[in-house]
Amino acid sequence: MKALVALILLVQLPIHKAVPAAPPAPLGCDDPESEAAAEVAVNHINGHNHHGYKFALNRIEDIRVVPQGPNNDIIFLELDLLETKCPILSPTPLANCTVRSFAEHAVEGDCDVKLQKVDGTFSVLASKCHSHADSSEDIRKVCPDCPLLARMNNTEVLETVAAALNDYNSKTTDSYLRLLEIGRAKIQYHPGHVIVTEFAVGATNCSAEEAKANVGACQLLPEDQSNFGFCTAVMVKSPSQDLQVDCQLYGHQVPAPDIPLLSWVFQPTGQDTSAGLAPSAVGVTNHNLGLFHNNPVASESSSSEILRSMLSAKSVTKRAVADAAQHDKVPRPVGFVPPPPPCPGKIRHFDI
């Protein structure tokens, strides 16, 4: 009898259905995890960029997380970067690199990055970047007298670099320096005629004295003895003539295992000039961050897949914004402050 009563009571008990867990809230662009992923991405981008200058994070534009399993996520990032004053081969840590100001004719980088996070560790699977200098019109609005970026193959730019290298090599007793690439150049015409150039150099196996006899025989030092540096030259043509050159050599740099140290150096295609200018350097533009990295062991990590995924993430974001706008039509208590949108994130330096 007791067993029958117990069975009846058991049948009458309410049946609780398993409620599926709510999906996690979308990751915000300024969340600590997003910033940690962005830091790994920016370090990867700088590590695989072989020209110009290091880039710093300005803003996380968008982020999308695709769960793959327990403690395994695929993360898509859309990043806004800004050029710093640190050449790409400078040993200066990125945290100590100064971002170029807007008035210095800033350069912005746009990057899409695919990462994987396994057990809390991020790794970059693929990345694609491009960049552009701010428009001359925008610079003129803020600083009408600021000099603008000049073309690398401008005659005055090339003359200034050649004169600067000749001047430096004629006064040093160390290794003869050769041009690797011209990084930036600006020409000012008022109130004086001034050309400012920045360029990367490499030490050769010749002394400056030996180069006078046969400069064509001077080759860049082998990778295990490499010594690269960076120079700034200021040539004043009027109201008086003057040339100032400042070069800093970094010493031997140990490359990452998958990045050849000399892969970004201009290979001469003909006889050097007396200044060590490689003919292939003429006309090269290094204001852009042209970068594509595709991990061969990562599945579906092509550039088109990155773009498709980022476009999908943008459509999801637009729907979320529309839903939030519809939701905001519901009356709110007095003093209610809606939470900030998850993306885009804060601007760290300035908008361009």
Side-chain angles (χ1 to χ4, degrees):
M1 185 66 179
K2 290 183 179 181
L4 180 61
V5 171
L7 179 61
I8 294 173
L9 292 176
L10 180 62
V11 172
Q12 292 178 343
L13 288 176
I15 299 176
H16 297 282
K17 296 182 179 180
V19 179
L27 199 61
C29 282
D30 291 333
D31 290 348
E33 183 175 351
S34 304
E35 295 187 341
E39 181 179 2
V40 172
V42 172
N43 287 336
H44 171 90
I45 290 166
N46 284 326
H48 285 75
N49 181 21
H50 302 146
H51 299 280
Y53 304 85
K54 297 180 182 180
F55 278 76
L57 178 66
N58 188 39
R59 190 182 203 182
I60 302 175
E61 296 284 352
D62 203 4
I63 183 169
R64 181 191 176 204
V65 180
V66 182
Q68 302 294 297
N71 300 319
N72 185 355
D73 294 324
I74 297 295
I75 299 175
F76 296 94
L77 281 176
E78 185 178 340
L79 303 178
D80 175 32
L81 312 180
L82 286 174
E83 184 186 77
T84 72
K85 295 183 179 182
C86 289
I88 200 66
L89 278 182
S90 170
T92 303
L94 181 61
N96 297 336
C97 294
T98 303
V99 170
R100 291 189 188 272
S101 69
F102 183 85
E104 290 178 283
H105 209 158
V107 175
E108 177 188 28
D110 297 313
C111 295
D112 292 329
V113 186
K114 177 181 179 181
L115 305 95
Q116 185 171 26
K117 181 184 178 185
V118 178
D119 294 330
T121 301
F122 295 99
S123 59
V124 175
L125 301 181
S127 58
K128 186 175 184 179
C129 297
H130 71 276
S131 66
H132 61 276
D134 190 26
S135 69
S136 301
E137 292 76 11
D138 288 345
I139 300 296
R140 293 300 190 206
K141 291 176 184 177
V142 178
C143 184
D145 298 326
C146 288
L148 302 175
L149 288 173
R151 293 184 178 275
M152 304 302 188
N153 60 354
N154 179 285
T155 301
E156 290 188 305
V157 170
L158 295 176
E159 287 176 349
T160 299
V161 172
L165 271 174
N166 276 330
D167 182 78
Y168 183 88
N169 282 322
S170 67
K171 297 177 180 177
T172 184
T173 56
D174 298 326
S175 296
Y176 176 80
L177 299 184
R178 271 183 48 185
L179 175 71
L180 300 182
E181 67 175 7
I182 301 173
R184 285 171 69 101
K186 293 190 292 185
I187 302 177
Q188 177 179 312
Y189 295 100
H190 302 288
H193 189 177
V194 182
I195 302 101
V196 180
T197 60
E198 300 177 13
F199 51 95
V201 294
T204 67
N205 57 356
C206 297
S207 67
E209 188 65 28
E210 291 170 339
K212 293 178 181 179
N214 186 10
V215 67
C218 300
Q219 302 296 321
L220 289 171
L221 292 172
E223 190 168 294
D224 59 351
Q225 305 172 32
S226 61
N227 188 7
F228 298 126
F230 208 74
C231 300
T232 300
V234 180
M235 176 177 282
V236 180
K237 288 193 170 183
S238 67
S240 60
Q241 294 190 355
D242 183 44
L243 174 63
Q244 296 181 5
V245 185
D246 179 34
C247 293
Q248 178 185 5
L249 294 178
Y250 301 133
H252 177 54
Q253 300 288 304
V254 180
D258 61 336
I259 306 174
L261 189 58
L262 298 180
S263 62
W264 65 284
V265 173
F266 289 122
Q267 299 299 326
T269 57
Q271 187 69 23
D272 282 354
T273 68
S274 60
L277 296 177
S280 56
V282 178
V284 173
T285 302
N286 293 319
H287 299 153
N288 61 326
L289 176 63
L291 172 70
F292 171 64
H293 161 256
N294 185 12
N295 188 338
V297 301
S299 61
E300 295 186 331
S301 56
S302 67
S303 60
S304 59
E305 190 270 341
I306 295 178
L307 296 177
R308 286 198 305 270
S309 300
M310 295 306 299
L311 289 174
S312 174
K314 288 179 181 178
S315 64
V316 171
T317 302
K318 288 181 178 178
R319 289 198 302 271
V321 171
D323 293 342
Q326 184 68 27
H327 190 59
D328 282 343
K329 294 180 180 179
V330 179
R332 298 291 187 181
V334 177
F336 173 79
V337 178
C343 284
K346 64 186 178 184
I347 296 176
R348 289 160 172 77
H349 300 283
F350 52 84
D351 194 13
I352 184 173

